[in-house]
């Protein structure tokens, strides 16, 4: 056999960590610990045989459950469409849930097909509504007569230049009105119409088409839940683990119930200030009235939609999962109104719609109200179709973990019949996690990693030290559109207020915190110096600079301080009250409450006012106030090592990610003193006790070696591990593999091209025309002898590689690597005749490029057929050929 040629390279000072004994104390992985996936049923064209096949495929790669979402169909399969919510559809769903359970998987589903609640059984009277506010000018003394025909007119109000209002609603007869204006210069008549917003179910499945519901209407939501419940009543209770409501994408900003609800909730009639709802207002009074409208809509959505949906789900023996973002309401309260709050990463990680501080709204609601799970719609548009890598998905996952998310949902997986050709049935969003994607072969590595991390992150309690008050009323006090959606896609609503920059600064500094709303704060109490929420004990509440604050909220902060709690105002005190009703009186009440604060300087930039047995602090810099409250940050953030903490009772778990651009090899400070810290690698299951040191006047430091993007779990205290975690050092030289590699296309297409042997490592797309279109796996095989060295173990470095690889040595699977650097520690090398097999997998991009260049038909969907990441028609024909395979160099580095 050919021997490798050894070339000496100097690698002074590089370290890598490895542990050859597997962990003994990983929690047992449950179905909830595993990632789940949204499972699209195109046209509900499913059958038992293919369901069994699909479910087995999904279970085999490590998913813990599926969320069945019925959507638009595939052309050519019309005869197989099963009408949504028909008896046949409900029976096949029950069959699916049963088969999933046999594979130890759960099943979730939304109450409706596609997006938005509604459907064929939603009458027009319950359809989503918008305000149509018309104005007419009528000269004093003139007669004004109008026939509104079939429109739903809620109110007609006339207003004089002097501000006199006349309610003309009672004069409506058969939707016609006739009125003579009193003598005056000019009257303005306001006609309040509740009209259909145009909203329908989005991406609906066959049989699921129809109006979307009025989400603010208790009656409309009640009708929908009753009628939907009647159609799924044949399902045994508990068949569906969780009903899921997607992000708020309803168009309407009104409801037929709005005028009554406004009077009851705000204490005055909005018709008396109707002029402030027209588009040409920019006064403070207008902003106050609009704030009240938004607050009312928020409360109606919470009380009439999300809470009833949760109660209805519980009656079915199920839970409710809800994406509150996009809603025109208080996100913290809406997230908290369900059992599993869910956030999302929608776009590229570099974009504004992949922001961990926005994701923290969902986890904060869960933490503050004692809910163990926070989920995420993950990976939706991480990159263009067929170009999303497992590495990018891992980075997105870690960002979600750092934001407190502990229940990952893929977005997602499309059902395909097993005889379907590449690329199978696909969804219009880009991350196609299905068996047709080449990296499906290596997906178990990522899913195993997620399961291991979540097996810790779903246990214990959050490790957040304090809460940041969210000044929601500052957010909604403006003269913008009535329906102000707070979306993940455009978080200006967060960053344009002081809370945004403040939270960003604190997060980057390593502080562990949650957000809290007025309503959630009201439910808190204080004792022994802690703020007790329904789910957690916090050391303090931090109030960012804000203008608007209800008097009741300020009084609650005083009460918490009087009971021994700590309150910190940063940079400013509130100076105004939200809303319109008797606001001048309430402003006076706020001023009287603020006069109770007698701040005494402690040091420059920091003052203290004593309230009962507690304190209220005023700090120019949040860190100064937090120091007084005894809040410790995780200082390793200064080293680009970002963390999330979980409190396990007798020990603490710290999830750590190297978000820097380079290898970290050194000592990292902890926020607390520790006698023992165990390192656990969730990618490999390896564990060991870390090296620690204590410096004078310093916290415990831990030795870490983390590549860029690498992550690890630190178990601080409470470990039964006795063996140390070795820290490996390269012994100064490395051997480069040079010789003939045998290469063979293993699995992929459009064909399995032939090649044989290569002596130079380069992209396989250079091996011939047929290789430029190949997407799949190639096996690289090389036989080699152990280098002349005293080392017992070696670091195998594969160099540059696209895009993932399974490493097999002497017939034994070593590890699947999904992100650079592609390195693995190996031992037990034979003196001679070692066989290295590398199963390298690329992306689907080159194959889809080939198909588009050949005008091959694969876009055959009834809706949105087919868009790119910019929501323009998708076409890969002009894409460049993407590098693929093993480019090396491949080296062996002796370790000690």
């Amino acid at each position: 056999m050919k021997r490798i040629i050894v070339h000496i390279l100097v690698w002074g000072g590089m370290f890598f960590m490895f542990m050859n004994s597997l962990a003994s104390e990983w929690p047992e992985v449950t179905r909830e610990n595993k990632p789940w996936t949204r499972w699209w049923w195109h046209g509900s064209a499913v059958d038992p045989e293919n369901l069994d096949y699909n479910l087995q495929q999904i279970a085999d790669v490590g998913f813990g459950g599926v969320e069945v979402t019925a959507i638009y169909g595939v052309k050519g399969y019309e005869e197989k469409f099963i009408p949504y919510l028909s008896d046949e559809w409900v029976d096949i769903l029950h069959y699916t849930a049963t088969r999933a359970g046999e594979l130890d998987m759960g099943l979730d589903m939304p109450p409706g097909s596609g997006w938005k609640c509604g459907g064929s059984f939603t009458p027009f009277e319950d359809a989503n509504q918008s305000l149509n506010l018309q104005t007419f000018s009528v000269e004093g003394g003139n007669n004004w007569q109008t026939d509104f025909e079939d429109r739903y007119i809620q109110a007609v109000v006339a207003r004089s230049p002097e501000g006199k209002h006349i309610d003309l609603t009672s004069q409506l007869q058969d939707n016609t009105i006739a009125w003579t204006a009193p003598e005056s210069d000019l009257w303005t008549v306001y006609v309040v119409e509740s009209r259909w917003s145009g909203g329908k179910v989005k991406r609906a499945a066959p049989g699921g088409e129809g109006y979307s519901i009025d989400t603010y209407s208790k009656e409309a939501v009640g009708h929908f839940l009753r009628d939907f419940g009647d159609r799924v009543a044949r399902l045994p209770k508990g068949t569906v683990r969780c009903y899921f409501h997607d992000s708020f994408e309803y168009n309407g900003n009104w409801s037929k119930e709005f005028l009554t609800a406004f009077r009851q909730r705000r204490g005055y009639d909005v018709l008396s200030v109707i002029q402030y709802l027209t588009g040409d207002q920019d006064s403070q009074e207008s902003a106050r009235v609009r704030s009240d409208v938004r607050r009312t809509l928020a409360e109606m959505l919470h009380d009439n939609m999300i809470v009833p949906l949760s109660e209805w789900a519980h009656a079915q023996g199920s839970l409710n999962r809800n994406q509150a973002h996009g809603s025109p309401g208080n996100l913290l309260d809406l997230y908290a109104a369900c059992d599993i709050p869910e956030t999302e990463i929608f776009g590229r990680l570099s974009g504004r719609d992949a922001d961990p501080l926005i994701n923290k709204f969902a986890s904060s609601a869960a933490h503050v109200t004692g809910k163990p799970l926070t989920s995420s719609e993950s990976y939706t548009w991480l990159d263009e179709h067929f170009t999303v890598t497992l590495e990018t998905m891992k980075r997105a996952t870690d960002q979600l973990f750092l934001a407190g998310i502990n229940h990952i949902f893929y977005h997602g997986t499309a059902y395909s019949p097993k005889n379907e050709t590449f690329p199978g049935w696909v969804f219009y969003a880009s991350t196609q996690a299905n068996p047709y994607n080449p990296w499906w072969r290596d997906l178990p590595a990522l899913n195993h990693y997620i399961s291991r991390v979540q097996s810790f992150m779903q246990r214990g309690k959050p490790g957040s030290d304090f809460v940041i008050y969210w000044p929601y009323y500052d957010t909604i006090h403006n003269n913008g559109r009535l329906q102000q959606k707070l979306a993940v896609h455009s978080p200006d609503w967060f960053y344009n207020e002081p809370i945004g920059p403040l939270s960003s600064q604190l997060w980057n500094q390593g502080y562990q915190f949650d957000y809290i709303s007025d309503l959630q704060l009201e439910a808190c109490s204080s004792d022994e110096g802690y703020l007790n929420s329904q789910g957690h004990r916090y050391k303090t509440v931090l109030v960012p600079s804000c203008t608007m604050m209800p008097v009741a909220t300020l009084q609650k902060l005083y009460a918490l301080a009087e009971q021994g709690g700590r309150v910190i105002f940063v940079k400013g005190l509130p100076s105004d009250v939200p809303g319109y009703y008797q606001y001048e009186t309430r402003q006076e009440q706020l001023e009287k409450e603020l006069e109770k604060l007698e701040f005494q300087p402690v040091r420059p930039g920091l003052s203290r006012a004593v309230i009962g047995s507690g304190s209220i602090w005023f700090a120019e810099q949040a860190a100064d106030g937090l120091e007084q409250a005894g809040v410790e940050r995780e200082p390793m953030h200064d080293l680009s090592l970002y963390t999330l903490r979980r409190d396990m009772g007798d020990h603490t778990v710290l999830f750590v990610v190297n978000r820097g651009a380079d290898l970290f090899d050194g000592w990292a400070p902890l926020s607390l003193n520790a006698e023992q810290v165990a390192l656990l690698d969730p990618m490999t299951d390896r564990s060991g006790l870390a090296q620690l040191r204590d410096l004078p006047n310093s916290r415990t430091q831990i030795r870490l070696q983390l590549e860029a993007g690498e992550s690890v779990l630190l178990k601080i205290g409470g470990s039964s591990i006795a063996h140390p975690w070795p820290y490996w050092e390269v012994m100064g030289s490395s051997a480069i593999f040079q010789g003939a590699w045998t290469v063979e296309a293993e699995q992929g297409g459009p064909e399995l091209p032939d090649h044989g042997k290569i002596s130079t490592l380069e992209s396989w797309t250079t091996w011939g025309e047929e290789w430029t279109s190949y997407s799949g796996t190639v096996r690289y095989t090389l036989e080699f002898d152990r280098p002349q060295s005293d080392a017992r173990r070696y670091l195998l470095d594969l160099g540059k590689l696209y895009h993932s690889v399974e490493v097999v040595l002497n017939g034994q699977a070593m590890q699947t690597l999904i992100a650079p650097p592609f390195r693995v520690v190996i031992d037990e090398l034979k003196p001679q005749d070692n066989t290295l097999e590398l199963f390298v997998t690329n992306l689907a991009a080159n194959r889809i490029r080939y198909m588009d260049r050949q005008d091959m038909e694969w876009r055959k969907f009834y809706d949105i057929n087919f868009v790119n990441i910019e929501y323009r028609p998708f076409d890969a024909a002009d894409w460049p050929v993407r590098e693929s395979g093993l480019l090396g160099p491949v080296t062996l580095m002796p370790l000690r």
Side-chain angles (χ1 to χ4, degrees):
M1 59 174 270
K2 279 196 173 183
R3 307 297 184 203
I4 65 169
I5 298 173
V6 177
H7 181 71
I8 302 299
L9 297 175
V10 176
W11 288 81
M14 287 203 72
F15 293 80
F16 304 89
M17 60 184 176
F18 171 79
M19 183 58 217
N20 65 349
S21 63
L22 296 181
S24 60
E25 53 185 77
W26 290 94
E28 181 180 355
V29 171
T30 67
R31 65 171 63 169
E32 267 73 30
N33 296 157
K34 297 178 181 180
W36 289 40
T37 189
R38 186 175 295 184
W39 193 22
W40 292 292
W41 284 6
H42 281 91
S44 302
V46 300
D47 60 74
E49 179 183 359
N50 281 295
L51 284 168
D52 290 351
Y53 170 77
N54 276 256
L55 285 169
Q56 189 66 60
Q57 295 274 316
I58 292 170
D60 286 348
V61 295
F63 285 107
V66 293
E67 176 208 304
V68 173
T69 301
I71 56 170
Y72 51 85
V74 180
K75 297 173 184 176
Y77 285 83
E78 291 80 3
E79 292 184 0
K80 291 184 174 293
F81 292 173
I82 301 175
Y84 181 65
L85 292 186
S86 64
D87 287 350
E88 182 184 5
W89 193 95
V90 175
D91 288 344
I92 203 71
L93 181 74
H94 186 208
Y95 174 86
T96 303
T98 302
R99 296 292 291 135
E102 292 169 359
L103 295 169
D104 195 25
M105 291 197 299
L107 182 143
D108 290 0
M109 68 172 288
S113 74
W115 286 257
K116 306 183 204 176
C117 291
S120 58
F121 51 85
T122 298
F124 184 76
E125 292 73 24
D126 289 346
N128 197 244
Q129 299 290 300
S130 283
L131 169 66
N132 180 37
L133 181 58
Q134 288 184 290
T135 59
F136 299 86
S137 296
V138 183
E139 292 284 351
N142 287 355
N143 180 265
W144 176 70
Q145 183 169 333
T146 299
D147 184 353
F148 296 109
E149 298 180 342
D150 296 328
R151 296 159 59 187
Y152 184 78
I153 305 301
Q154 288 187 287
V156 182
V157 178
R159 184 176 187 271
S160 71
E162 297 79 21
K164 181 180 180 180
H165 280 74
I166 302 176
D167 190 342
L168 306 177
T169 309
S170 61
Q171 299 186 36
L172 270 172
Q173 300 293 332
D174 297 325
N175 247 19
T176 299
I177 191 169
W179 173 68
T180 301
E183 292 294 338
S184 179
D185 291 338
L186 186 68
W187 287 79
T188 302
V189 177
Y190 298 86
V191 177
V192 179
E193 177 190 4
S194 183
R195 67 160 53 168
W196 176 46
S197 68
K200 291 187 175 182
V201 176
K202 189 176 181 181
R203 321 289 186 214
E209 305 91 340
Y211 300 116
S212 58
I213 64 170
D214 178 355
T215 54
Y216 308 114
S217 166
K218 183 176 182 179
E219 183 178 50
V221 172
H223 291 164
F224 171 79
L225 293 176
R226 177 200 65 200
D227 295 340
F228 184 89
D230 289 345
R231 285 160 174 78
V232 298
R234 56 200 295 123
L235 292 174
K237 281 192 174 183
T239 298
V240 176
R241 183 202 67 150
C242 217
Y243 285 92
F244 164 68
H245 186 257
D246 209 333
S247 56
F248 193 93
E249 298 183 26
Y250 301 88
N251 304 326
N253 63 1
W254 201 252
S255 172
K256 295 177 181 177
E257 299 172 13
F258 180 83
L259 294 178
T260 299
F262 189 95
R263 283 192 295 270
Q264 294 172 344
R265 294 171 183 270
R266 301 285 77 83
Y268 68 101
D269 192 339
V270 73
L271 297 177
S272 67
V273 289
I274 194 67
Q275 70 275 13
Y276 292 132
L277 300 189
T278 59
D280 56 354
Q281 298 291 324
D282 61 359
S283 66
Q284 279 297 306
E285 287 76 10
S286 172
R288 290 184 181 279
V289 173
R290 288 169 185 256
S291 173
D292 279 343
V293 169
R294 296 178 188 119
R295 180 181 177 184
T296 303
L297 289 172
E299 292 173 355
M300 293 175 73
L301 178 62
H302 178 276
D303 296 349
N304 297 343
M305 171 73 171
I306 306 304
V307 170
L309 181 56
S310 294
E311 293 172 346
W312 176 87
H314 297 164
Q316 316 309 308
S318 306
L319 301 173
N320 179 28
R321 231 172 75 232
N322 179 51
Q323 292 186 0
H325 48 273
S327 300
N330 191 311
L331 299 189
L332 292 173
D333 295 339
L334 292 170
Y335 278 128
C338 70
D339 302 293
I340 305 178
E342 177 162 305
T343 185
E344 70 175 278
I345 282 182
F346 186 80
R348 291 187 171 107
L349 288 177
S350 59
R352 303 177 73 223
D353 45 11
D355 190 323
L357 292 177
I358 302 302
N359 300 141
K360 279 179 70 68
F361 274 78
S363 60
S364 294
H367 295 168
V368 168
T369 58
K371 296 173 172 60
L373 298 179
T374 307
S375 57
S376 172
E377 174 190 312
S378 315
Y379 325 132
T380 308
W381 278 105
L382 278 182
D383 211 331
E384 186 55 88
H385 284 285
F386 310 107
T387 69
V388 176
T389 66
L390 294 176
E391 175 199 0
T392 306
M393 294 165 67
K394 198 266 185 185
R395 288 195 293 118
T397 301
D398 288 343
Q399 183 168 298
L400 288 166
F401 286 156
L402 291 172
I405 310 308
N406 61 2
H407 192 21
I408 297 291
F409 272 77
Y410 277 51
H411 188 288
T413 304
Y415 167 101
S416 289
K418 61 182 176 181
N419 61 352
E420 184 65 26
T421 58
F422 179 88
W425 295 358
V426 293
F427 189 64
Y428 81 90
S430 66
T431 302
Q432 311 295 345
N434 62 55
Y436 295 87
N437 195 319
W439 52 243
W440 185 263
R441 182 187 193 279
D442 294 335
L443 188 59
L446 178 58
N447 283 349
H448 176 85
Y449 168 80
I450 294 172
S451 301
R452 282 306 197 194
V453 176
Q454 292 188 161
S455 72
F456 277 105
M457 295 297 106
Q458 291 180 10
R459 287 169 169 80
K461 292 187 176 182
S464 305
D465 291 316
F466 63 97
V467 286
I468 299 178
Y469 168 73
W470 180 32
Y472 171 68
Y473 295 105
D474 277 5
T475 302
I476 63 172
H477 181 88
N478 58 72
N479 280 299
R481 300 173 62 181
L482 287 185
Q483 188 190 55
Q484 186 173 327
K485 293 186 177 183
L486 307 183
V488 299
H489 312 301
S490 50
D492 289 343
W493 54 268
F494 181 69
Y495 286 104
N496 286 348
E497 301 293 340
I499 185 176
L502 175 64
S503 299
S504 180
Q505 178 188 41
L506 295 174
W507 193 68
N508 287 318
Q509 290 174 341
Y511 288 99
Q512 309 275 316
F513 59 85
D514 292 318
Y515 309 123
I516 195 167
S517 71
D518 296 84
L519 184 64
Q520 293 162 0
L521 193 63
E522 184 60 35
C524 292
S525 62
S526 287
D527 67 76
E528 299 178 351
Y530 284 87
L531 178 75
N532 297 318
S533 72
Q534 299 170 50
H536 189 49
R537 282 162 61 89
Y538 296 95
K539 293 182 178 180
T540 189
V541 53
L542 191 72
V543 183
S545 178
C546 62
T547 301
M548 300 287 175
M549 179 178 285
V551 174
T553 297
L554 183 61
Q555 292 171 338
K556 181 64 179 183
L557 291 172
Y558 286 2
L560 293 173
E562 288 171 353
Q563 298 165 14
R566 302 178 184 91
V567 178
I568 305 168
F569 286 92
V570 180
K571 291 188 181 297
L573 297 172
S575 59
D576 204 347
V577 291
Y580 182 81
Y581 181 66
Q582 296 182 351
Y583 70 87
E584 293 176 337
T585 300
R586 291 184 292 115
Q587 283 174 335
E588 293 175 0
Q589 294 172 347
L590 183 73
E591 291 172 1
K592 289 180 180 179
E593 292 293 335
L594 291 171
E595 288 172 359
K596 297 178 182 179
L597 296 176
E598 297 181 1
F599 286 107
Q600 300 297 321
V602 176
R603 63 171 187 258
L606 185 66
S607 302
R608 178 191 179 201
V610 176
I611 299 289
S613 60
S615 300
I616 290 182
W617 296 83
F618 183 92
E620 289 294 334
Q621 299 297 325
D624 291 338
L626 292 171
E627 179 184 0
Q628 294 298 320
V631 174
E632 295 277 356
R633 69 188 185 95
E634 292 295 343
M636 65 174 67
H637 279 235
D638 296 341
L639 304 171
S640 296
L641 303 178
Y642 279 58
T643 64
L644 180 80
R645 190 190 309 139
R646 293 291 291 188
D647 180 5
M648 303 295 180
D650 64 341
H651 65 277
T652 298
V653 170
L654 202 64
F655 174 71
V656 182
V657 183
N658 180 4
R659 287 168 63 91
D662 302 307
L663 164 76
F664 177 84
D665 176 19
W667 294 92
L670 298 171
S671 64
L672 45 77
N673 291 319
E675 296 181 358
Q676 180 195 71
V677 179
L679 285 168
L680 298 98
D681 181 356
M683 191 64 79
T684 65
D685 287 356
R686 298 185 177 98
S687 66
L689 291 179
Q691 291 181 12
L692 304 176
R693 71 179 186 185
D694 291 310
L695 300 179
N697 302 316
S698 177
R699 297 292 188 181
T700 299
Q701 295 186 337
I702 181 172
R703 188 179 178 193
L704 294 175
Q705 297 170 321
L706 288 175
E707 293 285 356
E710 193 175 3
S711 50
V712 70
L713 291 161
L714 308 185
K715 188 175 183 181
I716 304 171
S719 176
S720 61
I721 296 175
H723 52 266
W725 178 283
Y727 296 80
W728 296 99
E729 180 181 357
V730 176
M731 294 175 62
S733 64
S734 48
I736 294 182
F737 286 76
Q738 292 183 353
W741 293 80
T742 301
V743 296
E744 180 183 2
E746 278 274 315
Q747 173 185 336
E751 304 291 340
L752 296 180
D754 295 325
H755 201 67
K757 291 183 178 292
I758 59 170
S759 57
T760 302
L761 293 176
E762 54 190 356
S763 173
W764 74 49
T765 58
T766 66
W767 296 351
E769 182 64 29
E770 69 276 17
W771 284 94
T772 64
S773 59
Y774 179 71
S775 292
T777 300
V778 172
R779 178 173 60 182
Y780 294 73
T781 306
L782 181 72
E783 294 184 336
F784 68 99
D785 294 342
R786 187 177 65 198
Q788 295 297 319
S789 171
D790 295 333
R792 295 179 53 199
R793 295 183 174 87
Y794 294 84
L795 183 74
L796 175 65
D797 188 334
L798 303 180
K800 187 179 291 186
L801 183 148
Y802 299 97
H803 283 90
S804 58
V805 59
E806 180 189 9
V807 180
V808 178
L809 179 65
N810 296 327
Q812 179 181 355
M814 301 294 293
Q815 190 176 341
T816 297
L817 306 172
I818 62 173
F822 295 100
R823 295 169 177 160
V824 62
V825 175
I826 59 176
D827 54 11
E828 306 297 332
L829 279 180
K830 299 184 296 183
Q832 294 180 324
D833 301 334
N834 294 281
T835 301
L836 176 65
E837 295 175 283
L838 304 175
F839 295 85
V840 182
T841 300
N842 71 341
L843 302 177
N846 288 343
R847 186 171 180 181
I848 209 72
R849 170 185 179 272
Y850 166 81
M851 294 180 71
D852 278 358
R853 291 171 74 88
Q854 300 298 316
D855 291 326
M856 299 174 69
E857 182 185 13
W858 61 272
R859 302 174 190 82
K860 48 187 178 183
F861 309 103
Y862 270 101
D863 195 331
I864 199 165
N865 187 33
F866 194 76
V867 296
N868 64 17
I869 195 170
E870 304 296 335
Y871 278 66
R872 298 186 178 95
F874 179 90
D875 185 359
D878 292 331
W879 283 6
V881 175
R882 294 174 182 261
E883 288 189 296
S884 301
L886 177 65
L887 280 66
V890 179
T891 60
L892 267 182
M893 292 182 259
L895 298 176
R896 69 177 175 218

